Amino acid sequence: MQAVPHDLLPPDPFADDPDDPAKDMAYFADDLDEPIDERARTELLADLSDLAVYQALLEPRGVRGIVVDCGECDQPHYHDWHLLRASLEQLLADGRMRPHEPAYDPDPAHYVSWDYCRGYADGVTATESAY
């Protein structure tokens, strides 16, 4: 999946509007409080690499993505493969993830945890190494 260049996106309907509802939201400011450190960058790159492996192994088996238990709302969050990849890439590039729409009416049977993915990948690797 390729990123869409900024100049190809539709124009901001609130550009130059003094009543822009988002103008005072510090969350959307372009400047970051702290840039991502090298350790976090390395971890994100490893996560992106792992995610590609997990998707390659599990998507053909009908798994649509990963479920994460949210510590803030105590609810499971379902992330399709492409959405999670985009979020991690944005975190890597911008140092934060912007809000996004959650999956619409996800079927929990089609999502697995990160730990499940890791265990599945380890099992496949161990099985292939045995031969």
Side-chain angles (χ1 to χ4, degrees):
M1 184 162 87
Q2 292 181 329
V4 177
H6 190 285
D7 58 338
L8 294 179
L9 295 174
D12 179 359
F14 293 103
D16 302 321
D17 183 348
D19 296 322
D20 181 351
K23 73 177 180 182
D24 294 326
M25 295 178 67
Y27 186 83
F28 292 105
D30 288 333
D31 56 319
L32 297 175
D33 294 76
E34 289 183 33
I36 187 169
D37 65 28
E38 196 56 38
R39 183 184 59 78
R41 181 177 179 71
T42 300
E43 289 175 5
L44 279 169
L45 289 170
D47 286 347
L48 281 165
S49 177
D50 290 345
L51 183 63
V53 171
Y54 302 158
Q55 182 178 5
L57 291 172
L58 294 166
E59 189 173 45
R61 298 187 168 286
V63 176
R64 294 194 56 195
I66 293 181
V67 59
V68 178
D69 290 325
C70 179
E72 292 180 23
C73 70
D74 293 325
Q75 297 289 320
H77 291 244
Y78 299 91
H79 301 274
D80 288 346
W81 299 114
H82 69 280
L83 177 62
L84 185 54
R85 181 179 312 99
S87 293
L88 291 174
E89 288 172 346
Q90 185 174 42
L91 183 57
L92 186 63
D94 298 342
R96 65 174 167 232
M97 285 189 251
R98 298 206 189 257
H100 59 271
E101 288 294 321
Y104 175 74
D105 197 24
D107 180 351
H110 292 135
Y111 296 83
V112 295
S113 70
W114 194 268
D115 288 337
Y116 178 93
C117 292
R118 185 177 297 119
Y120 190 90
D122 288 348
V124 169
T125 302
T127 301
E128 289 181 358
S129 298
Y131 296 103

